[in-house]
Amino acid sequence: MSVLRRTFVSAVALSMSLWAADVVAQQVQAPPTAVPDPTVWPVAGSPAAITDPEAEAMIDRLLQRMTLEEKVGQLIQADIGAITPADLATYPIGSILAGGNSSPEGDERASLSEWVALSRAFREAAATRPGAAIPLMFGIDAVHGHNNIVGATLFPHNIGLGAARDPGLIERIGRATALEVAASGADWTFGPTLAVPRNDRWGRAYEGYGEHPEIVSAYAGPMTRGLQGELIPGRPLAFDRIAGSAKHFVADGGTLDGVDQGDAPISEAELIDIHAQGYVPAINAGVLTVMASFSSWNGVKITGNRGLLTDVLKERMGFDGFVVGDWNAHGQIPGCSNESCPEAINAGLDMFMAPDSWRGLYTNTLAQARSGEIPADRLDDAVRRILRVKFKLGVFDRDRSIEGRADVLGSPEHRALAREAVRKSLVLLKNEGVLPIRPGARVLVAGEAADSIGQASGGWTVSWQGADTTNADFPGGVSIWSGLDAAIRESGGVAELSVEGGYETRPDVAIVVFGETPYAEFQGDVENLDFAPEEPLSVLRRLKAAGIPTVSVFLSGRPLWTNPEINASDAFVAAWLPGTEGSGVADVLVAGRDGQSVHDFTGRLSFSWPKTAGQDVLNVGMPGYDPQFAYGYGLSYAEPGRVDSLSEDPGVAVSQTNVDDYFTDGRVQAPWSLMLRDEGGDSRIGTGLTGASPRANLSVRPTDGAAQESAMALTWGGAAEALIMGPPVDLSRQRNGDMVLSVSIRLDGPLAGPVELGFGRERMEIAPLLGDPALGQWREVRIRLACFGGADTDVTAVETPFALRSESPVRLSLADIRLGVNQAGASCPPSGG
């Protein structure tokens, strides 16, 4: 076996070819169906400790006391950005969450004490409401550590942890995460993620441990135990443990073309053998909640599939906790909306995640319970399951002594654990003798990512997308550059940082740190696996031409086609998204003073590395499997190997679809075009941004914004409209994800009448958002896509994502038109829809 094809061998891997052939055969024989046969699913079972007899008796008594309103309230979870403690006096809501962009008072940099104060305010409000006064559960996305709060320890994302192949490490990470979440006042995390990503174009690929179920099966139980601890009959979780949520049940990683929230058109055999395997050990370990997937199986949304949620998960697999939905996922079920969906509850969903739709959903669900559309026994079963978890979590009398303890958040012990995880996750793809860095070497460190903890941490970092951070957001964290600098100096060498790769004194070796910029969920979906940025390759080739040995440290949330970068490197390290402890990279790359490696590479690929940019479906055991580096591959100092020159033909056209960036840097971005419309028709404006509408009611020219000619100046002489138009795109996920339409506007003359901003076919007055600014001053207008909710707005086929209309003369300039994340509390205009 050649080194290039070295694989990680296990008992499961030995049988993969037979397994794959069996799955393919069953796919051919069986027509697609979304009705499962529970008898062919694996048998599991929640531990008896979840259904404590004493707790069940108390639940019986509570159910007799609770009003219908209180029962329905338990089914509703609201986001802290859309509910206040005062609301609990009117609405008996059962749970709150802090979504990816939600935080105390809308401040993503809120302190630990502010998080605790928010949690206590909601708990106290729940405790003083009349009636049963059932305590709340507070859920949060602790995706790779407590990533919502400044100062927390951020571990490598799951894709890196999968490469570590260390279940014991996973359990310790779960425990550390639970401690930090509990210290902030939350008591429930939406994890572990048990996805098995089968198409690397998926924007959530990095949330999966690997492409094969053997890794997720090995990790699901340990992570659950790390978060929750061992369940003990008659006793709640320990004060320093939190409830977990296995997600996203099921086949979130199996969607066609890797489309987030899409459809998995696969056989039941594949659904079970690939995508369900992690849930067996998680349920057996006592996971208290399961999150239903946004996605569909053979065209039917999982959130509304009774066969999967009830017949399989709760009955066949013996899950006794409760099933929670994803962010307004119920609204995607045919016949449902975000504010009304009895179908989901009747299918087996127990708690709606209704971040901003909770009021209407509560009112409608109450009416449906009263009418019998939601049967009383189904309602009581859902409430029983929720109360069961609350008793096991201990929210009725929970020991909160760990809350507010700053010594827990980002503790030295947790940072040491994260550093260990980083070095175990690194995979060495190539090494022509340049590693480890010898003692006394002069080392150039280059690349924009070298000194960026945020880029090393990826999405779900401080904010949902993780794209707006600086190193100041990670007190106590260490960038890859800082870790390398310290290790190189410790070994007697000298390190220099130059983002562009320049130097005054010739280095002995260069380390270039580069990769993907942060993204999360559907914002990370891509057309192909080409690593597109050109600057890193230019730096590598320039250093190579100068005869300087180069090491590439590649940051990514998925394997990408990087053959040109690998060819231009003497060593290439897949570092994934390592998090806040960059010293873990230096631990493996830099030798000690004695010239010996301090730590060897032990990471092995948990995702196959593509040979072309079109190999997005590349999974071990599949027919025609032909990777560049196989599943399980990984070199080390102890077991080196040679990588020959690789083909630099990407194999596919490498352009990417642009659905959210419309006008930046003075240019309308492809495939979009600028049109000027008046009663005479439309005029298409070219790249020079100079022209007028047919009747000359509206003209455009370039103007200066943040940089020379980075904006467009529009002048209305009469009724006209400026539109950005292009091929129809589906923006339903963006609207459901609470994204905003953002534009920078400068008034160059006084307003003489209304100005309307448009999205799709809908228009709304934005003069109230402009206020009375001084002329010539830029201001950003940000409107939630949810504000465009009229009947004329079909968000599944948007051809005009931006329009601006005036009936009266006005002069204004525009810059930076795009869809963005709602990070600053954007809302609807006072007169908006």
Side-chain angles (χ1 to χ4, degrees):
M1 180 184 293
S2 69
V3 171
L4 189 62
R5 292 291 180 265
R6 183 183 292 115
T7 59
F8 177 81
V9 179
S10 69
V12 175
L14 289 173
S15 63
M16 284 188 217
S17 295
L18 292 175
W19 157 82
D22 178 63
V23 169
V24 170
Q26 292 184 62
Q27 280 186 284
V28 171
Q29 296 169 8
T33 178
V35 180
D37 176 4
T39 65
V40 301
W41 284 70
V43 175
S46 295
I50 289 183
T51 53
D52 296 321
E54 184 178 347
E56 293 298 307
M58 288 189 287
I59 293 170
D60 288 337
R61 292 193 291 272
L62 273 174
L63 285 172
Q64 292 175 358
R65 288 177 47 205
M66 293 172 70
T67 65
L68 189 63
E69 289 81 0
E70 289 172 327
K71 289 180 179 180
V72 169
Q74 290 301 301
L75 276 55
I76 309 293
Q77 182 183 61
D79 187 81
I80 61 172
I83 192 171
T84 67
D87 289 323
L88 298 183
T90 304
Y91 299 93
I93 301 304
S95 176
I96 56 171
L97 81 149
N101 287 324
S102 298
S103 50
E105 301 298 328
D107 179 8
E108 291 175 343
R109 277 73 181 173
S111 66
L112 175 64
S113 61
E114 289 171 312
W115 277 96
V116 171
L118 176 129
S119 175
R120 289 175 177 170
F122 274 103
R123 287 205 307 268
E124 290 167 4
T128 57
R129 55 191 175 188
I134 307 295
L136 297 169
M137 285 179 67
F138 184 1
I140 202 161
D141 281 293
V143 178
H144 58 134
H146 194 5
N147 44 264
N148 306 275
I149 188 168
V150 169
T153 308
L154 299 191
F155 297 93
H157 270 292
N158 286 351
I159 191 171
L161 298 181
R165 303 292 211 284
D166 189 339
L169 174 70
I170 297 305
E171 184 163 350
R172 288 185 286 144
I173 289 173
R175 178 159 194 176
T177 300
L179 276 165
E180 298 201 11
V181 170
S184 70
D187 44 34
W188 178 20
T189 182
F190 303 125
T193 297
L194 304 182
V196 181
R198 303 292 283 177
N199 188 311
D200 297 339
R201 290 164 55 186
W202 189 32
R204 305 189 78 158
Y206 64 78
E207 294 187 52
Y209 294 118
E211 71 188 36
H212 192 276
E214 66 171 338
I215 302 178
V216 71
S217 296
Y219 280 8
M223 179 56 85
T224 298
R225 287 189 293 272
L227 293 169
Q228 298 185 171
E230 295 284 353
L231 301 189
I232 301 174
R235 290 174 55 182
L237 302 191
F239 72 98
D240 55 356
R241 301 301 180 102
I242 60 176
S245 187
K247 70 178 188 182
H248 308 86
F249 187 84
V250 61
D252 50 343
T255 62
L256 184 66
D257 295 332
V259 173
D260 190 40
Q261 305 177 24
D263 183 38
I266 59 177
S267 69
E268 187 169 9
E270 185 173 349
L271 186 68
I272 296 169
D273 294 343
I274 298 294
H275 300 286
Q277 293 305 303
Y279 292 92
V280 174
I283 291 170
N284 289 341
V287 71
L288 292 176
T289 73
V290 169
M291 182 180 290
S293 180
F294 262 119
S295 60
S296 305
W297 174 46
N298 289 330
V300 176
K301 285 291 180 181
I302 304 294
T303 306
N305 192 317
R306 176 181 170 81
L308 289 175
L309 297 186
T310 298
D311 300 342
V312 168
L313 178 61
K314 293 180 176 179
E315 295 179 4
R316 177 69 174 182
M317 300 182 76
F319 174 61
D320 289 329
F322 73 80
V323 179
V324 64
D326 209 332
W327 187 279
N328 278 332
H330 54 275
Q332 297 184 4
I333 299 172
C336 290
S337 68
N338 289 354
E339 292 77 26
S340 178
C341 193
E343 292 90 337
I345 298 298
N346 290 337
L349 191 75
D350 300 307
M351 181 181 287
F352 292 109
M353 184 182 289
D356 55 353
S357 58
W358 61 270
R359 278 188 181 86
L361 186 62
Y362 169 80
T363 300
N364 288 322
T365 305
L366 180 59
Q368 290 149 5
R370 281 180 175 148
S371 72
E373 189 174 1
I374 297 175
D377 58 350
R378 172 75 272 265
L379 177 64
D380 281 357
D381 175 64
V383 175
R384 175 178 293 278
R385 288 172 174 273
I386 294 167
L387 294 178
R388 179 181 293 153
V389 170
K390 289 186 174 184
F391 273 107
K392 200 64 194 177
L393 183 56
V395 295
F396 287 86
D397 189 23
R398 185 166 170 82
D399 179 352
R400 302 278 182 179
S401 58
I402 198 172
E403 279 187 2
R405 282 183 48 184
D407 61 311
V408 170
L409 198 70
S411 70
E413 295 81 7
H414 294 172
R415 294 193 181 279
L417 175 61
R419 181 172 177 172
E420 175 189 347
V422 172
R423 60 177 178 259
K424 287 183 173 180
S425 71
L426 303 177
V427 179
L428 181 62
L429 299 185
K430 177 181 179 180
N431 184 24
E432 301 298 332
V434 67
L435 292 177
I437 304 297
R438 64 174 176 80
R442 175 176 289 276
V443 183
L444 171 68
V445 179
E448 289 188 358
D451 197 29
S452 173
I453 300 176
Q455 187 166 348
S457 299
W460 293 107
T461 297
V462 180
S463 65
W464 176 35
Q465 295 294 318
D468 60 340
T469 62
T470 68
N471 284 358
D473 293 318
F474 308 98
V478 179
S479 70
I480 293 175
W481 149 250
S482 295
L484 288 168
D485 182 41
I488 291 165
R489 285 189 285 106
E490 176 65 24
S491 70
V494 176
E496 175 186 359
L497 175 66
S498 171
V499 171
E500 298 81 11
Y503 55 86
E504 294 184 2
T505 302
R506 180 183 175 86
D508 299 313
V509 63
I511 300 174
V512 184
V513 187
F514 63 98
E516 291 187 295
T517 53
Y519 55 82
E521 299 193 39
F522 55 84
Q523 288 294 96
D525 288 0
V526 294
E527 294 291 316
N528 57 65
L529 299 184
D530 177 52
F531 177 67
E534 298 177 357
E535 181 62 22
L537 182 58
S538 175
V539 172
L540 288 169
R541 285 175 170 167
R542 187 170 70 248
L543 293 168
K544 186 178 183 68
I548 297 170
T550 57
V551 178
S552 284
V553 176
F554 185 59
L555 306 178
S556 71
R558 60 190 133 213
L560 289 171
W561 185 74
T562 49
N563 284 10
E565 289 81 5
I566 293 173
N567 285 340
S569 307
D570 295 283
F572 195 95
V573 178
W576 314 113
L577 300 170
T580 56
E581 306 313 306
S583 294
V585 175
D587 287 345
V588 186
L589 267 62
V590 181
R593 284 183 175 270
D594 60 0
Q596 301 299 308
S597 59
V598 180
H599 295 278
D600 202 349
F601 285 91
T602 59
R604 299 291 182 265
L605 289 179
S606 60
F607 287 79
S608 304
W609 201 274
K611 182 177 288 186
T612 73
Q615 287 182 304
D616 46 273
V617 179
L618 182 66
N619 301 303
V620 66
M622 296 183 68
Y625 179 68
D626 185 28
Q628 189 69 68
F629 302 105
Y631 175 89
Y633 172 93
L635 303 176
S636 67
Y637 300 138
E639 297 185 48
R642 178 172 178 78
V643 175
D644 295 328
S645 180
L646 307 178
S647 169
E648 298 194 6
D649 179 3
V652 295
V654 295
S655 61
Q656 300 283 355
T657 298
N658 167 30
V659 302
D660 53 13
D661 189 8
Y662 310 126
F663 179 74
T664 53
D665 299 325
R667 298 188 303 276
V668 178
Q669 302 297 313
W672 306 100
S673 300
L674 176 64
M675 308 290 289
L676 301 185
R677 174 179 296 168
D678 60 19
E679 64 268 26
D682 293 348
S683 292
R684 187 177 186 276
I685 305 302
T687 56
L689 280 184
T690 302
S693 60
R695 297 287 176 83
N697 286 1
L698 175 59
S699 63
V700 63
R701 61 176 177 79
T703 190
D704 293 348
Q708 185 176 9
E709 295 195 353
S710 62
M712 68 170 91
L714 295 162
T715 301
W716 274 264
E721 190 169 28
L723 308 98
I724 289 180
M725 302 183 69
V729 293
D730 184 354
L731 298 178
S732 56
R733 296 177 302 171
Q734 284 79 355
R735 185 166 74 169
N736 187 57
D738 199 28
M739 297 190 73
V740 299
L741 179 58
S742 172
V743 56
S744 292
I745 298 181
R746 182 184 68 197
L747 287 178
D748 300 322
L751 289 175
V755 175
E756 295 179 335
L757 185 144
F759 172 79
R761 296 180 179 180
E762 193 168 349
R763 303 292 182 265
M764 61 175 58
E765 170 64 58
I766 63 167
L769 295 181
L770 298 178
D772 187 24
L775 296 182
Q777 299 295 313
W778 287 98
R779 69 167 49 198
E780 186 179 23
V781 172
R782 305 170 76 250
I783 298 178
R784 298 172 60 213
L785 293 188
C787 301
F788 299 98
D792 290 336
T793 302
D794 178 8
V795 293
T796 66
V798 177
E799 297 179 341
T800 308
F802 176 84
L804 200 66
R805 178 176 179 80
S806 177
E807 301 282 339
S808 307
V810 64
R811 292 186 298 114
L812 54 80
S813 297
L814 305 177
D816 298 326
I817 306 172
R818 58 169 61 94
L819 298 185
V821 177
N822 185 7
Q823 294 175 329
S827 59
C828 301
S831 59

Coordinates of all heavy atoms in Angstrom, one line a residue, residues 617-663:
V617 N -19.1 14.7 -3.2 CA -19.6 13.4 -2.7 C -18.4 12.4 -2.8 O -18.2 11.8 -3.8 CB -20.8 12.9 -3.4 CG1 -21.3 11.6 -2.7 CG2 -22.0 13.9 -3.3
L618 N -17.7 12.3 -1.7 CA -16.5 11.4 -1.7 C -16.4 10.7 -0.4 O -15.8 11.3 0.6 CB -15.2 12.3 -2.0 CG -13.9 11.6 -2.1 CD1 -13.8 10.7 -3.3 CD2 -12.8 12.6 -2.1
N619 N -17.0 9.6 -0.3 CA -17.1 8.9 1.0 C -16.5 7.5 0.9 O -16.8 6.7 0.0 CB -18.5 8.9 1.5 CG -19.1 10.3 1.6 OD1 -18.6 11.1 2.3 ND2 -20.2 10.5 0.9
V620 N -15.7 7.1 1.9 CA -15.1 5.8 1.9 C -16.1 4.7 1.8 O -17.2 4.8 2.4 CB -14.2 5.7 3.2 CG1 -15.1 5.6 4.4 CG2 -13.3 4.4 3.1
G621 N -15.8 3.7 0.9 CA -16.7 2.6 0.7 C -17.6 2.7 -0.4 O -18.2 1.8 -0.8
M622 N -17.7 4.0 -1.0 CA -18.6 4.2 -2.1 C -18.0 3.6 -3.4 O -16.7 3.6 -3.6 CB -18.9 5.6 -2.3 CG -19.7 6.3 -1.1 SD -20.1 8.0 -1.4 CE -21.3 7.8 -2.8
P623 N -18.8 3.2 -4.4 CA -18.2 2.7 -5.6 C -17.5 3.9 -6.3 O -17.8 5.0 -6.3 CB -19.5 2.4 -6.4 CG -20.5 2.1 -5.4 CD -20.2 3.0 -4.3
G624 N -16.3 3.5 -6.9 CA -15.5 4.5 -7.6 C -14.7 5.4 -6.7 O -14.3 6.5 -7.1
Y625 N -14.6 5.1 -5.4 CA -13.9 5.9 -4.5 C -12.5 6.2 -4.9 O -11.7 5.3 -5.1 CB -13.9 5.2 -3.1 CG -13.2 5.9 -2.0 CD1 -13.7 7.1 -1.5 CD2 -12.1 5.4 -1.4 CE1 -13.1 7.7 -0.4 CE2 -11.5 6.0 -0.3 CZ -12.0 7.2 0.2 OH -11.4 7.8 1.2
D626 N -12.1 7.5 -5.1 CA -10.8 7.8 -5.7 C -10.4 9.2 -5.1 O -10.4 10.2 -5.8 CB -10.9 7.9 -7.2 CG -9.5 8.1 -7.8 OD1 -8.5 7.8 -7.2 OD2 -9.5 8.7 -8.9
P627 N -10.0 9.2 -3.9 CA -9.6 10.5 -3.2 C -8.2 10.9 -3.5 O -7.4 10.1 -4.0 CB -9.8 10.2 -1.8 CG -9.4 8.8 -1.6 CD -9.9 8.1 -2.9
Q628 N -7.8 12.1 -3.2 CA -6.4 12.5 -3.2 C -5.7 11.9 -2.0 O -4.6 11.4 -2.1 CB -6.3 14.0 -3.2 CG -4.9 14.5 -3.4 CD -4.4 14.2 -4.8 OE1 -4.9 14.8 -5.8 NE2 -3.5 13.3 -4.9
F629 N -6.4 12.1 -0.8 CA -5.9 11.5 0.4 C -7.1 10.8 1.0 O -8.2 11.4 1.3 CB -5.4 12.5 1.4 CG -4.2 13.3 0.8 CD1 -4.4 14.7 0.4 CD2 -3.0 12.8 0.7 CE1 -3.4 15.4 -0.2 CE2 -1.9 13.5 0.1 CZ -2.1 14.8 -0.3
A630 N -7.0 9.5 1.4 CA -8.1 8.7 1.8 C -8.5 8.9 3.2 O -7.7 9.4 4.0 CB -7.8 7.2 1.6
Y631 N -9.7 8.6 3.5 CA -10.2 8.5 4.9 C -9.2 7.8 5.7 O -8.8 6.6 5.4 CB -11.6 7.9 4.9 CG -12.2 7.6 6.2 CD1 -13.1 8.6 6.8 CD2 -12.1 6.4 6.9 CE1 -13.7 8.3 8.0 CE2 -12.7 6.2 8.1 CZ -13.5 7.1 8.6 OH -14.1 6.9 9.8
G632 N -8.8 8.4 6.8 CA -7.8 7.7 7.7 C -6.4 8.0 7.4 O -5.5 7.6 8.2
Y633 N -6.1 8.8 6.4 CA -4.8 9.1 6.0 C -4.2 10.2 7.0 O -4.9 11.0 7.5 CB -4.8 9.7 4.6 CG -3.5 10.3 4.1 CD1 -2.5 9.5 3.4 CD2 -3.2 11.6 4.3 CE1 -1.3 10.1 2.9 CE2 -2.0 12.2 3.9 CZ -1.1 11.4 3.2 OH 0.1 12.0 2.7
G634 N -2.9 10.1 7.2 CA -2.2 11.1 8.0 C -0.8 10.7 8.2 O -0.5 9.6 8.7
L635 N 0.2 11.5 7.8 CA 1.6 11.2 8.0 C 2.0 11.6 9.4 O 1.2 12.3 10.2 CB 2.4 12.0 7.0 CG 2.1 11.8 5.5 CD1 3.0 12.7 4.7 CD2 2.3 10.4 5.2
S636 N 3.2 11.2 9.8 CA 3.7 11.6 11.1 C 5.2 11.6 11.0 O 5.8 11.2 10.0 CB 3.2 10.6 12.2 OG 3.8 9.4 12.0
Y637 N 5.9 12.1 12.1 CA 7.3 12.1 12.1 C 7.8 10.6 12.2 O 8.8 10.2 11.6 CB 7.9 12.9 13.3 CG 7.5 14.4 13.2 CD1 7.1 15.0 14.4 CD2 7.5 15.1 12.0 CE1 6.7 16.4 14.3 CE2 7.2 16.4 12.0 CZ 6.8 17.1 13.1 OH 6.4 18.4 13.1
A638 N 7.1 9.8 12.9 CA 7.4 8.4 13.1 C 7.2 7.6 11.8 O 7.9 6.6 11.5 CB 6.7 7.8 14.2
E639 N 6.1 8.0 11.1 CA 5.8 7.3 9.8 C 5.7 8.3 8.7 O 4.6 8.7 8.3 CB 4.5 6.5 10.0 CG 4.5 5.5 11.0 CD 3.2 4.7 11.1 OE1 2.7 4.3 10.0 OE2 2.7 4.5 12.2
P640 N 6.8 8.7 8.1 CA 6.8 9.7 7.1 C 6.4 9.1 5.7 O 6.2 7.9 5.6 CB 8.2 10.2 7.0 CG 9.0 9.0 7.5 CD 8.2 8.3 8.5
G641 N 6.2 9.9 4.7 CA 5.9 9.4 3.4 C 6.1 10.6 2.4 O 6.2 11.7 2.8
R642 N 6.1 10.2 1.1 CA 6.3 11.2 0.1 C 5.0 11.4 -0.7 O 4.3 10.5 -1.0 CB 7.4 10.7 -0.8 CG 7.7 11.7 -2.0 CD 8.9 11.3 -2.8 NE 9.0 12.2 -3.9 CZ 9.6 13.4 -3.8 NH1 10.0 13.9 -2.7 NH2 9.7 14.2 -4.9
V643 N 4.8 12.7 -1.0 CA 3.7 13.0 -1.9 C 4.2 13.6 -3.2 O 4.9 14.6 -3.2 CB 2.8 14.1 -1.2 CG1 1.7 14.6 -2.1 CG2 2.2 13.5 0.1
D644 N 3.9 13.0 -4.3 CA 4.4 13.4 -5.6 C 3.6 14.7 -6.0 O 2.6 15.0 -5.4 CB 4.3 12.3 -6.6 CG 5.2 11.1 -6.3 OD1 6.2 11.4 -5.7 OD2 4.8 10.0 -6.6
S645 N 4.1 15.3 -7.1 CA 3.4 16.5 -7.6 C 2.0 16.1 -8.0 O 1.7 15.1 -8.6 CB 4.1 17.0 -8.8 OG 3.5 18.2 -9.4
L646 N 1.0 17.0 -7.6 CA -0.4 16.7 -7.8 C -0.9 17.5 -9.1 O -0.4 18.6 -9.4 CB -1.2 17.1 -6.6 CG -0.7 16.5 -5.3 CD1 -1.6 17.1 -4.1 CD2 -0.8 15.0 -5.3
S647 N -1.9 16.9 -9.7 CA -2.6 17.6 -10.8 C -3.2 18.9 -10.3 O -3.8 19.0 -9.3 CB -3.7 16.7 -11.4 OG -4.5 17.5 -12.3
E648 N -3.0 20.0 -11.1 CA -3.6 21.3 -10.8 C -4.8 21.6 -11.7 O -5.3 22.7 -11.8 CB -2.6 22.4 -10.9 CG -1.4 22.1 -9.9 CD -0.5 23.3 -9.7 OE1 -0.8 24.4 -10.2 OE2 0.5 23.2 -9.0
D649 N -5.4 20.6 -12.3 CA -6.6 20.7 -13.0 C -7.8 20.5 -12.0 O -8.0 19.4 -11.5 CB -6.7 19.7 -14.1 CG -8.0 19.7 -14.9 OD1 -8.8 20.6 -14.6 OD2 -8.2 18.9 -15.8
P650 N -8.6 21.5 -11.8 CA -9.7 21.4 -10.8 C -10.8 20.4 -11.2 O -11.5 19.9 -10.4 CB -10.2 22.8 -10.6 CG -9.9 23.5 -11.9 CD -8.6 22.9 -12.4
G651 N -10.8 20.1 -12.5 CA -11.8 19.1 -13.0 C -13.2 19.7 -13.2 O -14.0 19.0 -13.8
V652 N -13.5 20.9 -12.7 CA -14.8 21.5 -12.9 C -14.6 23.0 -13.1 O -13.5 23.6 -12.7 CB -15.7 21.3 -11.7 CG1 -16.1 19.8 -11.6 CG2 -15.1 21.8 -10.4
A653 N -15.6 23.7 -13.6 CA -15.6 25.2 -13.6 C -15.7 25.6 -12.1 O -16.5 25.0 -11.3 CB -16.8 25.7 -14.4
V654 N -14.9 26.5 -11.7 CA -14.9 26.8 -10.3 C -15.6 28.1 -9.8 O -15.3 28.7 -8.8 CB -13.4 26.9 -9.8 CG1 -12.7 25.6 -10.0 CG2 -12.6 28.0 -10.6
S655 N -16.5 28.6 -10.7 CA -17.2 29.8 -10.2 C -18.2 29.5 -9.2 O -18.7 28.3 -9.0 CB -18.0 30.4 -11.4 OG -18.9 29.5 -12.0
Q656 N -18.6 30.4 -8.3 CA -19.5 30.2 -7.2 C -20.8 31.1 -7.4 O -20.7 32.2 -8.0 CB -18.9 30.6 -5.9 CG -17.6 29.8 -5.6 CD -18.0 28.4 -5.1 OE1 -19.1 28.1 -4.9 NE2 -17.0 27.6 -4.9
T657 N -21.9 30.6 -7.0 CA -23.1 31.4 -7.1 C -23.2 32.5 -6.0 O -22.8 32.2 -4.8 CB -24.4 30.5 -6.9 OG1 -24.4 29.6 -8.0 CG2 -25.6 31.3 -7.0
N658 N -23.5 33.7 -6.3 CA -23.6 34.8 -5.3 C -25.1 35.1 -5.1 O -25.7 35.7 -6.0 CB -22.8 36.0 -5.9 CG -23.1 37.2 -5.1 OD1 -23.4 37.2 -3.9 ND2 -23.0 38.4 -5.8
V659 N -25.6 34.9 -3.9 CA -27.0 35.2 -3.6 C -27.1 36.3 -2.7 O -28.3 36.8 -2.4 CB -27.7 33.9 -3.1 CG1 -27.6 32.8 -4.1 CG2 -27.2 33.5 -1.7
D660 N -26.0 36.8 -2.1 CA -26.2 37.8 -1.0 C -25.3 39.0 -1.0 O -25.4 39.9 -0.2 CB -26.0 37.1 0.4 CG -24.7 36.3 0.4 OD1 -23.8 36.5 -0.4 OD2 -24.5 35.5 1.4
D661 N -24.5 39.2 -2.1 CA -23.6 40.3 -2.2 C -24.0 41.0 -3.5 O -23.7 40.5 -4.6 CB -22.2 39.9 -2.1 CG -21.2 41.0 -2.0 OD1 -21.7 42.2 -1.8 OD2 -20.0 40.8 -2.1
Y662 N -24.6 42.2 -3.4 CA -25.1 42.8 -4.6 C -24.3 44.0 -5.2 O -24.2 44.1 -6.4 CB -26.6 43.3 -4.3 CG -27.4 42.2 -3.7 CD1 -28.1 42.4 -2.5 CD2 -27.5 40.9 -4.3 CE1 -28.8 41.4 -1.9 CE2 -28.2 39.9 -3.7 CZ -28.9 40.1 -2.5 OH -29.6 39.1 -1.9
F663 N -23.8 44.8 -4.3 CA -23.0 46.0 -4.7 C -22.0 46.3 -3.7 O -22.3 46.7 -2.6 CB -24.0 47.2 -4.9 CG -23.2 48.5 -5.3 CD1 -22.8 48.6 -6.6 CD2 -23.0 49.5 -4.5 CE1 -22.1 49.7 -7.0 CE2 -22.4 50.7 -4.8 CZ -21.9 50.8 -6.1

